Amino acid sequence: MDINGFSTGSLYQLMSPSSKMAIELVKKASRDCIEINTQFKKRIFLIHKRKLNLRKFKFITMHAPNDFIYDNNKKTDTLLKKIEKLHKIIGFHFIVFHPDRIKNFDIFKKYTFPKAIENLDNRSPQWAEVENLKSILNNHNFKLVLDITHCFLIDKSNKNFNRLYNNFKNKIAYIHLGGFNLKEKEHRPLFLTKQKKILEMAVKVKKFPIIIESVVYNKKQLSAEIDYIKNNLYA
C-alpha cells in the first residue's frame, strides 16, 4: 500500500505545526496522509479556531498532546471533549497518544474517536515491551502505531521491531517513520541519515499507511524525503 505523508510536526523548526501553512506544505508533498501534530495542549485550542482544509487527504490522524497527564479529572475531561468535538468536524482515522502520559485508560471509554498508542523509545523503555503494550491493546479499545524510529533507538538489531510486529501485526493502525540524528537526539530526514536498518524495518510494514516524522531544515526537504522513502520502499 503506497499511502504515505508527513506529520505537520516535521515542520516545527520552520513554523507552527498547527498552522494552515504547515498543512498546505504537507499537502504539496503528498495528498495521501497527514498527521496533525498537537504535541502541546494549546495547539488543540488553536486548531479549533482554524478552518482546516483536509478533504483531499486519504488518511488523517492526529498526535494528541504530550504535555499533559490523562487521568480521571475535570482537566482531562475538558481536553478529551475538545478532541472529540474536533474528531466530529474532521473525521480522524486515528488519534495517537503516548502511553506514558496516561494514568487511567478507562476514561477513554465514553469517547467515540478512534484511539491508538505508540511504542516508545529509550526514554520510556517499558513502553517498548510487548507485555506492557499487550496489557493495553488486549484490554482497551486502542490500536498500535508502530513507531519504527523508536524501535531503532531501543535496539538497532531490529529485535524489538520484530517482537512488536510479530505480536501486534493484527492491531497495527499505521506506521511512524523517520531518520534520527544520534548526536542531536532529533528526528532527521532519512535521505540524510541513510539509516538502512530503519528502511529494512519499513519495507516489512509498507502495506500500512506511513506517517513520516522526519524533521526538516527547509521546505524543499519534504519532497526530497518522500521521494527517498518511496524509492527505497516501493521501487
Side-chain angles (χ1 to χ4, degrees):
M1 182 185 292
D2 185 356
I3 297 181
N4 46 64
F6 283 92
S7 164
T8 59
S10 293
L11 291 157
Y12 89 90
Q13 291 189 338
L14 304 175
M15 63 193 67
S16 169
S18 60
S19 67
K20 289 183 178 180
M21 178 59 74
I23 291 165
E24 288 305 311
L25 288 170
V26 169
K27 190 184 297 181
K28 285 181 182 178
S30 173
R31 291 177 179 267
D32 289 340
C33 304
I34 188 170
E35 182 158 284
I36 307 299
N37 182 287
T38 59
Q39 185 173 2
F40 302 110
K41 186 176 65 172
K42 65 180 181 181
R43 289 181 190 165
I44 289 285
F45 298 92
L46 287 173
I47 288 173
H48 267 280
K49 295 178 181 179
R50 296 168 178 161
K51 294 181 179 179
L52 305 182
N53 183 12
L54 303 173
R55 288 174 296 175
K56 293 187 177 180
F57 288 102
K58 298 175 185 176
F59 191 79
I60 305 168
T61 66
M62 186 174 79
H63 198 304
N66 281 343
D67 63 338
F68 192 84
I69 299 296
Y70 299 84
D71 203 353
N72 188 16
N73 55 47
K74 188 174 181 180
K75 287 183 179 180
T76 299
D77 195 44
T78 298
L79 179 58
L80 292 180
K81 282 179 179 176
K82 283 284 185 184
I83 292 174
E84 179 90 334
K85 185 176 180 181
L86 197 57
H87 169 61
K88 288 180 179 178
I89 295 169
I90 293 174
F92 294 108
H93 288 83
F94 289 98
I95 297 172
V96 61
F97 296 80
H98 279 196
D100 63 342
R101 311 308 293 171
I102 302 175
K103 278 193 171 182
N104 186 336
F105 282 86
D106 289 333
I107 59 175
F108 289 89
K109 288 180 179 178
K110 64 180 179 180
Y111 298 100
T112 64
F113 58 82
K115 309 158 195 68
I117 55 172
E118 64 178 287
N119 56 297
L120 301 184
D121 60 21
N122 46 2
R123 293 170 294 180
S124 295
Q126 69 273 26
W127 291 110
E129 296 301 323
V130 167
E131 289 306 316
N132 290 330
L133 292 167
K134 187 183 288 186
S135 69
I136 305 307
L137 297 172
N138 286 357
N139 297 299
H140 299 274
N141 190 22
F142 281 76
K143 294 288 189 179
L144 177 68
V145 175
L146 184 55
D147 192 305
I148 292 176
T149 312
H150 290 170
C151 290
F152 175 76
L153 291 171
I154 288 288
D155 175 14
K156 295 173 182 60
S157 70
N158 293 11
K159 289 181 180 178
N160 179 251
F161 166 82
N162 289 331
R163 284 196 299 270
L164 296 183
Y165 179 69
N166 290 334
N167 277 275
F168 302 124
K169 63 181 72 174
N170 294 325
K171 292 184 178 291
I172 295 174
Y174 62 100
I175 306 300
H176 274 168
L177 175 64
F180 196 86
N181 186 307
L182 295 169
K183 289 183 178 179
E184 295 179 354
K185 296 184 179 180
E186 176 67 274
H187 287 272
R188 289 301 182 200
L190 277 164
F191 79 87
L192 294 177
T193 64
K194 308 289 187 184
Q195 286 156 321
K196 291 183 179 180
K197 284 289 185 182
I198 290 176
L199 290 168
E200 286 174 10
M201 290 184 269
V203 167
K204 293 181 180 179
V205 292
K206 64 182 181 180
K207 66 181 180 180
F208 298 100
I210 294 175
I211 294 291
I212 303 164
E213 292 191 305
S214 306
V215 176
V216 299
Y217 299 95
N218 58 63
K219 298 172 187 177
K220 291 182 180 179
Q221 288 188 341
L222 288 174
S223 56
E225 178 73 339
I226 203 162
D227 287 347
Y228 181 81
I229 289 171
K230 285 184 174 181
N231 288 338
N232 279 275
L233 265 59
Y234 309 108

